[in-house]
Every structure is written in structure tokens, then in C-alpha cells.
Amino acid sequence: MADVWNFLFLNGEFAPRTYILEGLTLQDVGTRPPGASHSIYEELWHTVVWQRVVLERDTAAIKGWDENVGFPARPAPDDEAAWQALVDSFLAYSERAVELAQDKTWLETEEGADNPGFTWRNALEQLAVHNAYHMGKIVLLRQILGCWTPRPK
């Protein structure tokens, strides 16, 4: 089953997540193309915060969201280090999801008292779909910006 979760969170069905996020400049990640609702940075920031909410049950993480929209208040990180930290955080949470999924008992445990019958397996499956949606948006943004396929560093 480990391979299924690795497939869902890190390497499967489409480009590996590391590949999708490599070779980007600050200009690339901070640009919001005409007609796009978010930048690459905003898409990844949102995804990382949601991973934190689900995997750590940290609803306080939502407090950093721009009111009622679930994205940061600005479209770009401050510097390259901030961008890399966000990428590293996304990959670490994805790896954590794969690691947690190795515990079959945990997977079948109910996720919370306010969701009877909703297991951690259900939560991880929904998180994998959410991540895939935003990774697809990031690939599309890269295509629109002319920075897909990733450049070598």
C-alpha cells in the first residue's frame, strides 16, 4: 500500500512533485498571468496550509489566510529562501502523509468526533485530490508563463 500513497502524494499519475516545483525564479512564482486568479506561489502556499490543517489538525494555520479566500495576502515570497522553504514544506507534508498511511490501524481510525465514520484514509484521499488539483494549476501557470518544462538549476 505504501506505493499507492507515494504515487498519490509524490510521484504518480503526472510529473513528480519535485519536478513540478523546480527551476522556478521569484519572478515566475510571483507572476499572476492575465485571467489567472492566483500566482504559483499563492497556489503552493494554499496547498501547504491545507496540508498542515489536515495532517496536524491545525485550524490555527488558516489565520494566515487572506480573509475568506484561503490564499496569502500577497502574490510572491520575499526572497528565494522563503520560496524554497515553502517548497520544502510542501514536500515534507507530502512525505509525512505517505509515512502516516503506513499505519493501517491509523488509516481506519475516525478522523474526528465531528465527522462520524470519516476516517484518516478518507482525509488522506481528499488531501491527495486537493494537492493534485493545485499541482495541475501550477503546471498550467508554468505553461502560460513559458517556464514549463523546468529549467536546470
Side-chain angles (χ1 to χ4, degrees):
M1 192 62 168
D3 290 340
V4 170
W5 294 106
N6 190 46
F7 183 86
L8 289 171
F9 280 95
L10 294 166
N11 298 311
E13 199 57 42
F14 51 94
R17 303 339 166 244
T18 54
Y19 185 75
I20 291 170
L21 298 170
E22 69 186 21
L24 289 159
T25 67
L26 285 179
Q27 181 177 345
D28 294 336
V29 302
T31 300
R32 192 182 295 159
S37 54
H38 303 105
S39 67
I40 292 170
Y41 168 75
E42 290 170 313
E43 291 291 342
L44 190 62
W45 186 92
H46 167 87
T47 306
V48 169
V49 170
W50 195 246
Q51 285 179 310
R52 182 174 160 191
V53 168
V54 172
L55 295 175
E56 295 181 8
R57 300 184 57 110
D58 183 3
T59 55
I62 296 172
K63 291 179 182 172
W65 290 15
D66 191 5
E67 189 173 321
N68 299 320
V69 295
F71 288 88
R74 53 185 184 187
D78 292 330
D79 54 39
E80 184 68 36
W83 168 248
Q84 192 56 54
L86 187 66
V87 170
D88 293 346
S89 184
F90 170 77
L91 295 171
Y93 276 122
S94 296
E95 290 167 1
R96 179 72 176 139
V98 172
E99 178 186 313
L100 288 168
Q102 304 317 299
D103 183 342
K104 292 177 185 7
T105 302
W106 178 82
L107 277 178
E108 301 312 322
T109 303
E110 287 189 8
E111 182 260 347
D114 46 334
N115 274 334
F118 188 80
T119 65
W120 278 105
R121 176 185 303 278
N122 301 135
L124 287 185
E125 289 167 343
Q126 286 185 351
L127 184 59
V129 169
H130 181 262
N131 286 3
Y133 170 77
H134 288 286
M135 288 294 105
K137 289 180 77 174
I138 289 171
V139 169
L140 179 60
L141 287 166
R142 289 189 73 152
Q143 291 168 337
I144 291 168
L145 294 169
C147 58
W148 183 258
T149 322
R151 298 180 287 268
K153 289 185 178 190

